Amino acid sequence: DAGVIQSPRHEVTEMGQEVTLRCKPISGHDYLFWYRQTMMRGLELLIYFNNNVPIDDSGMPEDRFSAKMPNASFSTLKIQPSEPRDSAVYFCASSFHPRDYGYTFGSGTRLTVV
Amino acid sequence: TQLLEQSPQFLSIQEGENLTVYCNSSSVFSSLQWYRQEPGEGPVLLVTVVTGGEVKKLKRLTFQFGDARKDSSLHITAAQPGDTGLYLCASAISGTYKYIFGTGTRLKVLA
């Protein structure tokens, strides 16, 4: 298996623009998580899905952020409009059973909003 | 709110030295995971500990879960430059799959 695949690896955008981050989880993994990592705040959980259904989105910063999982093999995280404070590395992770097997993380998308 | 505190925050040692890093919480862990993250990559799972007092070994790495399940340690024997990275502990908020991560210990092993 190719692991969790995220695209793009790097994204530079201007403030106010829409940004879409993409994730392909490992086949057979029922759980999908979106995290954001910064030096100041570390890894923060934004939202997670189970069987394509959003279970908890309490970590989503505000209405500018939205996430979808239209099927078991694809998820998106959208920021509209983007702001400089959204600059971070965004990780997608998937799991078959988080407690017993942990997460498999993608390589992340480094977002810079100027 | 459950918080995971890791110490030390930074550690720089010479190749061949031993080291221990710690993960502590004021709450009881249902289980705890350790990850290592290298620059430009996502964290990679090293181990999951579940039972109080549990000890797991992974080559030169020894993981211990406190008897009260409120703390954990990672001990590395004879550190190598390849051990360099950010070590993170993670635990789920009780009754959920919301895993929170500690702030991490950034380890650098010098050749």
Side-chain angles (χ1 to χ4, degrees), chain A:
Chain A
D1 199 318
V4 176
I5 299 173
Q6 291 188 246
S7 64
R9 285 298 308 267
H10 301 275
E11 177 79 46
V12 181
T13 191
E14 291 185 348
M15 182 173 62
Q17 296 298 307
E18 178 180 294
V19 176
T20 299
L21 311 182
R22 297 173 175 78
C23 175
K24 176 178 168 56
I26 291 174
S27 177
H29 281 191
D30 297 333
Y31 292 86
L32 184 138
F33 303 80
W34 282 100
Y35 278 87
R36 177 171 68 177
Q37 187 175 39
T38 61
M39 287 297 293
M40 290 295 293
R41 300 174 69 89
L43 267 168
E44 300 174 280
L45 177 63
L46 301 176
I47 185 171
Y48 80 95
F49 296 83
N50 179 216
N51 291 322
N52 313 336
V53 176
I55 302 300
D56 192 317
D57 66 354
S58 59
M60 297 285 262
E62 48 199 90
D63 293 345
R64 297 185 298 106
F65 286 68
S66 62
K68 294 182 180 179
M69 192 165 185
N71 56 63
S73 60
F74 185 65
S75 177
T76 59
L77 178 67
K78 185 178 292 186
I79 308 173
Q80 165 65 14
S82 57
E83 296 183 2
R85 59 187 168 135
D86 302 330
S87 297
V89 182
Y90 290 81
F91 287 103
C92 173
S94 69
S95 178
F96 169 66
H97 191 293
R99 181 178 182 269
D100 293 344
Y101 298 101
Y103 298 164
T104 300
F105 280 82
S107 296
T109 295
R110 181 173 294 276
L111 174 65
T112 303
V113 183
V114 298

Side-chain angles (χ1 to χ4, degrees), chain B residues 3-93:
Chain B
L3 295 174
L4 296 178
E5 297 184 0
Q6 290 190 243
S7 61
Q9 193 174 359
F10 299 97
L11 191 55
S12 180
I13 62 171
Q14 291 293 130
E15 181 177 5
E17 293 183 1
N18 301 333
L19 67 116
T20 303
V21 298
Y22 301 92
C23 176
N24 295 283
S25 174
S26 57
S27 304
V28 174
F29 300 125
S30 56
S31 65
L32 187 124
Q33 298 171 350
W34 284 94
Y35 291 78
R36 179 170 64 211
Q37 184 179 17
E38 298 184 12
E41 297 297 329
V44 175
L45 179 69
L46 297 173
V47 78
T48 299
V49 287
V50 178
T51 306
E54 183 176 4
V55 177
K56 283 191 174 180
K57 292 192 175 184
L58 184 65
K59 297 182 181 178
R60 294 175 294 100
L61 278 59
T62 301
F63 303 86
Q64 188 157 4
F65 202 14
D67 291 339
R69 293 188 290 131
K70 296 175 70 173
D71 59 275
S72 181
S73 64
L74 159 58
H75 181 80
I76 301 178
T77 303
Q80 300 177 359
D83 296 326
T84 293
L86 177 66
Y87 288 81
L88 296 159
C89 62
S91 184
I93 295 174

